[in-house]
Every structure is written in structure tokens, then in C-alpha cells.
Amino acid sequence: MKKLRVVQWTTGKTGTAAVRGMVGHPALEVVGCYAYSPDKVGRDVGTLAGIEPIGVAATDDVGALLALEPDCVAYMAYRPDFDHLERILESGVNIVTTMYMLAGPGYGEDVRDRLAAACERGGSSLYASGVYPGHAAMTVLAASAMCSRIDRVSLLESLDMSGYENEKMFRAMSIGLDPDDPAAPGMIEANCGSFKEQIRVLARALAVDLDEIRFTAEFGAANADTDFGFMKLEKGQIAGFKGVIAGIHAGRSVIECRFVWKLGHDMTPNWPVEEGYLLEIEGVPGVRVRLQPLGTARFDGAVTTAMPAINAIPQVVAAPPGIVNHADLPFVKGTHLLTRVDER
Ligand SMILES: NC(=O)c1ccc[n+]([C@@H]2O[C@H](COP(=O)([O-])OP(=O)(O)OC[C@H]3O[C@@H](n4cnc5c(N)ncnc54)[C@H](OP(=O)(O)O)[C@@H]3O)[C@@H](O)[C@H]2O)c1
């Protein structure tokens, strides 16, 4: 089988896991890599991902990357560059991304329309996934096929996040601020914008019209000064959140993305965590699905975020032009089983 040619866009937390997941992938090969950080330009992508060199050097030359005529870009930068995204799509190259705000109008109707138009011009597709938002929703949609009636769909991510070493991301969410800081509620809500897209995608998939999407969250404060290795928190600072983004239909919450996110467990309130995802459908029948790590204490969040996008590349390349989501794609699955067996 001819492998699909993929350009990896940045090698941060998620991008590194994506590169590792593509090396040895039966359907994909890494042919290029975009570097945002100047010191990564010229370095081998395998080395940047902490594995053996693969003979592909990272570059910041977008034209050179598009000249490789890749089938897909795996776009995993910290922040979107809309000029880059438009240029990639209109050149006919598909995009998978973990930036779920790109699934809909999260960055504004104008941005969504601009990228959709670029897809049309280039005959390309844009697909946003990840784990949450992303694959957790695809899993609950698969479970919903068992139901003759659906009253409410609820997704919960409940994690101690201290294994995801990304201080910039946590600080942007308001971790480390005083719980009374007036900026804190807006910061966590802004960082949950992607879940509003997730609610819209689920509503479309389940054919329900929403009147509004509501956000509520509460803060947990650290009980003591704590050094997590990659960042420090002082006693009393925000160390975690519990909240819900709810899609409302006829005054009733019908689709819910819930979260309990904690840095460690020494905080007040000290909400219990599931260390995974709890997906529930109230209906006929009621259904509960758990996604939990087997054999380890925690999921590696970089892997569970990157792989739902990477494993969707064949379906996204085959999809009709436009912004596509879980309801548009054929079943996305892992493909590493034989590779893993061969490696033993
Ligand atoms: N859907 C989900 O389940 C889920 C879960 C987690 C994260 N995410 C999203 O996935 C994306 C990647 O997350 P991550 O944790 O891997 O990010 P990250 O490690 O913080 O950053 C990824 C890369 O972005 C580049 N970068 C750094 N600062 C930048 C800036 N100001 N503007 C543009 N690019 C910048 C760097 O590229 P170089 O490699 O060149 O240095 C960096 O390595 C984010 O948009 C995040 O919100 C989604």
C-alpha cells in the first residue's frame, strides 16, 4: 500500500507524540516538518521527537513544505496561524489538527468561512480531533447507535493533569492565580472554547437544535506550596477546576462536556478523579462507557490527543472538501496492532 505523505506542523507535546505515532505507521510517512522555534530549524524530526533520526529536517519554509506535495499536514501548534492554514488548504493539502476550535466558528464566523472557502478552492478537508474534545465524543456517538431514545449525552474528563508538562497552557487556564482574581473565570472559559465547538458538533450529529451553550466552573486551591518539576504553585493559588459546558434545548441541558482537572490532589475542594473519561447516555437504554488506562496510572495525554487526529488521516484525505467532523467521517481506528506484534 502506498503510504500517505504527512508534514508534521511543530513538535511540541502533541506533535512529538504524533511523530512517534507515524514512524512505523502502516499507512503514513513523515515527509516534512514545520518548526515554529528557530532553534529547531534544520534538526531531524526524529531527534526532535526523542527517537532515532528519520532523515527529515524541520524547516520554517512553508513553500518548501508545500512543494513536497504532502497528502496531509498534522497541525499541532500552540496557537493557529490562519494565513498558514489558508495557504495549506488552498494548495490542496488536507489538515488534521488537535486544535478543536477549528471544527467550527470558535475563532469567529469569518475565520471558519475563510478556511472553508480555502478547502473549496483547494479541494481539501480540515478535520479537528484530539481526545477531549475529539475522540471521547466519537466514542459516545458510537455508543449512541445502541439507543432507541436519547435524553441526555454527558462526557466527563476527570484527570490529575500533573503528568502533562505544559506550564504555558496551565497558566493560560488561570492555574496559579488567586481564586478571587477577577480575570480567572474568563480565562478558564476562554480556554474551554473548544468544548463549545464539541457541543455544536455533537448537536449536529445527534440532530438536536440548541438554544444556547452555558458555561459554569468552580476553582480548587492548593493546600500547600508544591513543586511539580515543570512548574510551582503556592498555597492558596488555583490548582484545579470542576465545571460543565452545557448545550441547552427547550430549557433542558441535553449535551454536557464536564471536566475535573487537577494539578495533584492536595487542594480544596479535593474532587475525586476518574483518571479517564466517563461517557454517559441517558435514554433507552441508558449507557455508560469508561475510557481508562490499562496497566498504568494515567494516560499519556500527548498520545491520546495526537493519535485520534493521526489515525484519521486516511479518512480525511478521502473525505469531500470542506471542514469535516466526527459525523462526516467513516469509522476512525488504530492501525498499529501488527506493528506492535512485529516489534516484540
Ligand atoms: N483536543 C484535545 O484533546 C487537545 C488536548 C491537548 C491539547 N490540544 C491542543 O493541541 C495543540 C497543541 O498542544 P501542545 O500541548 O502540543 O502545545 P505546545 O507543546 O505548547 O506547543 C506546540 C508547538 O507550538 C509552537 N508554538 C509555541 N508557541 C507558539 C505560539 N505562540 N504560536 C504558535 N506556535 C507556537 C511550538 O513549535 P515548535 O515545535 O517549533 O517549537 C510548540 O512546540 C494546542 O492547540 C492545544 O490546545 C488539544
Side-chain angles (χ1 to χ4, degrees), residues 311-327:
N311 279 322
I313 288 174
Q315 288 87 335
V316 174
V317 169
I323 299 175
V324 295
N325 61 52
H326 316 312

Side-chain angles (χ1 to χ4, degrees), residues 173-174 179-181 184-185 188 217-221 238 240-242 268-269 271:
M173 293 162 81
S174 79
D180 294 328
D181 191 314
I188 181 65
E218 54 185 298
F219 299 108
I238 294 175
F241 316 95
K242 179 181 181 185
T268 304
W271 307 290

